[in-house]
Amino acid sequence: DQLRVANAIGFDRTTISGVIDRLEAKGFLQRLPSKVDRRAKELLTTPAGRKLLQAIEDDATQYLERRR
C-alpha cells in the first residue's frame, strides 16, 4: 500500500501520493481498494510498469558490469 511504500523509501504521505498520482497517470501503477483494509489502497504494477522496471533493472545490471 501507499504508506508502506512511503515508509520504505523515506517519503512522507503527501509526497508519495503525488509520485503515485504521476505513475498512475502514466499507466505504470494501478490503485485498488484493499481487500483487507477499506481505508487503504493497494498498488499494483501494470504490464507497462513491469516492462519499465525490467528495463531499469537491465540498465542497472549493465552499468554495474561495466564498472567492474
Side-chain angles (χ1 to χ4, degrees), residues 3-68:
L3 185 55
R4 288 185 199 184
V5 171
N7 290 336
I9 61 175
F11 280 22
D12 61 50
R13 294 176 105 178
T14 303
T15 302
I16 198 65
S17 180
V19 170
I20 291 170
D21 286 344
R22 290 187 295 279
L23 290 170
E24 187 176 31
K26 291 180 179 185
F28 298 131
L29 283 180
Q30 185 177 28
R31 280 184 227 187
L32 299 174
S34 171
K35 295 174 185 166
V36 178
D37 182 351
R38 290 180 153 188
R39 299 166 297 169
K41 297 281 187 182
E42 293 180 0
L43 302 174
L44 301 172
T45 53
T46 64
R50 288 189 291 277
K51 184 177 178 180
L52 177 63
L53 283 172
Q54 186 62 56
I56 291 168
E57 288 175 5
D58 292 346
D59 288 349
T61 299
Q62 289 175 9
Y63 172 78
L64 292 173
E65 287 175 357
R66 283 193 303 260
R67 291 195 60 192
R68 288 184 187 171

